[in-house]
Amino acid sequence: METTTVSELTVPSAVDSGTATPVSSPVASSSASITGSSKKSAQKRKKPATPTEPSSPATKASKMEVNGEQKSVPEQPSSSSKKQKKKQSPEGKETTTKKQKAAGSKQAVFHIKLYSAPKQPTATTTAAIEKKKRAKKQTANTAPAGTGTPNGTQSAPEAVKKQSKKKRTPKVNGTDAVGPAASVTPLKKVSQIKQEPKTPQRVSFNRSITTPAGTALHELDSVTIGRQTFAWLIGPDTSVDEFMRTYWEQKPLLVQRHDPAYYASLLSRAMIDEMLRTNNIEYTKNIDITSYRDGQRETHNPDGRVLPPDLWHFYGTGCSVRMLNPQTYLRSVYELNVKLQEYFHCMTGANFYLTPPGSQGFAPHYDDIEAFVLQIEGRKRWRLYGPREPREQLARVSSDNLSQDELVGPPIVDVVLEAGDMLYFPRGCIHQAATVPGAHSLHITVSVYQRNCWADLFEQMLPIALATAADEERTLREGLPLDLHQHFGIVHSDEMSAERRRLIVRMRTMFDKLFSDTAIDAAVDQLAKRFQHDALPPLVDFGEWDDTVYGAGNYEFRPDGTVRCARPIDERCSVRLLRRNILRLVSEDEKLRIYYHTDNSREYHQYEANFLELDHETALGVELLIKMYPQYVLVRNLPVEDRLEFIRSLWEKGLIVCRREGEETGSPAGSGTLASTTAP
């Protein structure tokens, strides 16, 4: 809100027949800002005509200087031709001399609006309202109409009191720092000064997460936290179970909440501007400038860093802005994605799209991801179309840009998303979106399940299964029949000879031998290994911060220059994995490895995959931690010979939470049982 400060300017008034008439100061009608004026620039302006009183033709004009400009004000007749001198007050304000006051001059009080930090409106009680009413009534009965300051209010005291240090206007280079839009306006009544409404409380997905009694948030299973975060994303009317049963990979879902602030904490144009100013964001790598006009999709990316003036210029000319990885730079999007990836057990991505009013940035197309469109600001019209052929359903690869003529039939969904709404559609769903006239759009598209279908699993499994079965089954190593070429191929595809039928049965029998449990386990491990490389690094909760390698106070820095471990790990400590999916134990190349993502960057695949090699005994300790999560395990109960070295290795990589003796509220340390998951 605008805070107001009253400043008094003394202006001599003309006297006509002994009646004092208030005269408006030229400052009140000036639209120039208080700051930024100079005498040089003021001299170039045309001086206003000298005001005269019709009833006093002999009135002379005296000059006063306001903001560096010479302003003419009426002066009462005097036998002396000398001008009265003005005294300068300690605060820098001009005051009249006693001789001027005796001549009948009056003071006109003006209201200066200064911009400062916004203040929350104060609560108004019934007693205060009644007190104001009585004061107004008393003022109306005692003060004559038409006197004093404008709007019929009484003038302030003539003597200007010094402001306290707390209320003084800040100075910059010896000059009062006034906001760029500061102006001088007549004084208003207190009841006429408007106060800005309180900012509505924004909804955060963290507040939607519920915990059992006596359990802290960070003690929950990370998959449970991810599920509750997803429930917030699609809720509140649609449950996760209903969504998975009715909509997931089947049909679109539209959620209209009529709550513009539902997703407001995730992103805003101001957050985008700050991100560009404080990070080295690059065109093409991070941001695309696009347009779609007359059926042509174009990209307008220059080279180098994206700076705010350039981006807002493109936006102002009707171009759309797409950012490919906002989770790298915006904590709100990063926190959302890092929780969802635990629930979906796969990489969770996000793009944001900023589109000016009445424009479209992309051609119709379909994607290879499950899409959740979160409308942040403005309005946007979405049109979804059914697949043109069966292979486009749950597509594994995104399409090229499509023309309007390639779209089959009318849209199956045609809706305008408002701020706070959500739209889901599965892989392969053709879509296009455009803003409506007079409204911009800012939305985030959260994406999951890219390359995460059965075919992707079988691509991993079949080579492993074939290699394993070929070593174990002699029949797979036998030579092919001599007449195979005479019964198979495009020429013989329409024939069904007895020999062809016999060979088909034999091939199916051998193919069944490929599917072994070992091959399936190895293939799933490879997909999980890929997830460890794709995943965002974990977001450590404040409640568990001090129990991880990231916490403060783990080391004591002594005056003699030595450093001592202030929180040593011993066999009385209890440990657990930081997250359920924080690592994956994989057998490959005749070695045991754990792949993990704590050392990943928030930028996709900035580093190579991280892993540690283990022996079989150490792998048993990792297996126990995986199976016991989210419970804590006493270090001395781990089936590892060098338990302390094993735990320190995991702790230094940020993979575990370690509680010292006396910090947990579960089973007492040294009891030989598993520690409880109850928060301290």
Side-chain angles (χ1 to χ4, degrees), residues 264-493:
S265 61
L266 294 176
L267 186 64
S268 67
R269 283 168 292 167
M271 293 169 65
I272 295 173
D273 186 83
E274 181 181 2
M275 176 192 67
L276 296 178
R277 288 186 285 104
T278 55
N279 297 279
N280 188 12
I281 311 295
E282 299 180 15
Y283 289 105
T284 305
K285 177 183 178 181
N286 306 117
I287 280 184
D288 288 324
I289 306 296
T290 67
S291 65
Y292 179 73
R293 300 184 181 95
D294 300 326
Q296 295 295 323
R297 155 78 159 80
E298 296 183 3
T299 302
H300 310 277
N301 291 348
D303 295 329
R305 178 179 175 180
V306 184
L307 294 173
D310 297 332
L311 182 136
W312 299 124
H313 170 74
F314 280 120
Y315 175 74
T317 58
C319 293
S320 293
V321 179
R322 173 179 67 179
M323 184 166 191
L324 303 175
N325 58 333
Q327 64 272 15
T328 304
Y329 304 97
L330 299 174
R331 178 186 171 90
S332 55
V333 183
Y334 161 59
E335 185 174 356
L336 175 66
N337 284 13
V338 82
K339 286 179 168 61
L340 291 177
Q341 75 180 9
E342 285 291 308
Y343 175 64
F344 286 102
H345 296 78
C346 69
M347 183 189 72
T348 302
N351 295 351
F352 78 64
Y353 300 82
L354 178 62
T355 310
S359 63
Q360 182 170 339
F362 296 88
H365 66 282
Y366 61 79
D367 296 311
D368 59 346
I369 49 93
E370 302 293 309
F372 298 87
V373 179
L374 316 180
Q375 190 69 26
I376 309 294
E377 295 179 2
R379 307 169 70 226
K380 200 166 195 178
R381 180 189 180 190
W382 284 82
R383 285 172 286 179
L384 310 183
Y385 303 85
R388 299 171 298 174
E389 50 186 338
R391 70 178 183 87
E392 292 182 352
Q393 292 181 331
L394 301 179
R396 298 183 65 203
V397 180
S398 299
S399 72
D400 295 329
N401 294 330
L402 306 177
S403 65
Q404 300 294 335
D405 297 335
E406 294 179 274
L407 304 179
V408 179
I412 58 176
V413 173
D414 190 344
V415 65
V416 175
L417 292 187
E418 307 278 351
D421 294 347
M422 191 278 296
L423 177 64
Y424 158 79
F425 49 88
R427 307 187 300 277
C429 181
I430 301 174
H431 57 277
Q432 62 176 329
T435 51
V436 298
H440 77 291
S441 172
L442 175 62
H443 80 266
I444 295 176
T445 298
V446 177
S447 59
V448 297
Y449 260 57
Q450 185 180 44
R451 297 187 299 136
N452 205 47
C453 64
W454 286 108
D456 297 299
L457 175 64
F458 291 155
E459 281 184 348
Q460 297 287 340
M461 185 186 71
L462 290 179
I464 299 173
L466 180 59
T468 303
D471 290 338
E472 298 176 354
E473 296 291 335
R474 180 182 180 278
T475 55
L476 293 175
R477 300 194 299 271
E478 294 178 356
L480 297 174
L482 296 177
D483 58 349
L484 182 67
H485 296 178
Q486 279 70 47
H487 298 285
F488 291 90
I490 189 172
V491 175
H492 307 286
S493 60

Side-chain angles (χ1 to χ4, degrees), residues 87-256:
K87 296 181 180 180
Q88 190 74 13
S89 66
E91 289 80 6
K93 296 182 175 61
E94 292 181 346
T95 58
T96 56
T97 61
K98 294 181 179 180
K99 186 175 181 180
Q100 286 177 308
K101 293 180 181 180
S105 63
K106 294 185 68 65
Q107 290 181 335
V109 181
F110 299 96
H111 193 65
I112 301 178
K113 296 165 64 177
L114 301 180
Y115 288 79
S116 60
K119 296 182 180 179
Q120 295 293 343
T122 57
T124 305
T125 62
T126 305
I129 294 175
E130 293 297 330
K131 185 176 180 180
K132 288 182 180 180
K133 289 182 178 179
R134 290 194 300 269
K136 290 179 183 179
K137 187 175 181 180
Q138 183 178 1
T139 303
N141 294 333
T142 57
T147 61
T149 56
N151 297 330
T153 58
Q154 291 183 333
S155 61
E158 294 182 4
V160 180
K161 297 182 179 180
K162 289 186 178 181
Q163 294 177 325
S164 63
K165 292 184 178 180
K166 293 183 179 180
K167 295 184 178 180
R168 286 181 182 173
T169 305
K171 294 183 179 293
V172 179
N173 296 330
T175 307
D176 289 345
V178 184
S183 59
V184 182
T185 57
L187 181 65
K188 295 182 180 180
K189 294 182 180 180
V190 176
S191 60
Q192 293 177 335
I193 299 176
K194 295 183 178 180
Q195 293 179 328
E196 295 293 336
K198 290 184 178 181
T199 303
Q201 192 174 23
R202 292 178 174 177
V203 179
S204 172
F205 54 86
N206 284 330
R207 297 174 185 172
S208 65
I209 300 176
T210 59
T211 60
T215 303
L217 175 63
H218 62 272
E219 298 292 343
L220 290 178
D221 190 324
S222 59
V223 175
T224 302
I225 295 176
R227 178 186 173 90
Q228 294 190 27
T229 302
F230 181 61
W232 170 84
L233 188 79
I234 63 174
D237 296 332
T238 305
S239 66
V240 175
D241 292 335
E242 180 187 359
F243 174 82
M244 289 297 181
R245 182 176 59 253
T246 307
Y247 300 99
W248 176 252
E249 296 186 330
Q250 300 175 53
K251 59 182 180 180
L253 169 65
L254 172 64
V255 178
Q256 294 177 311

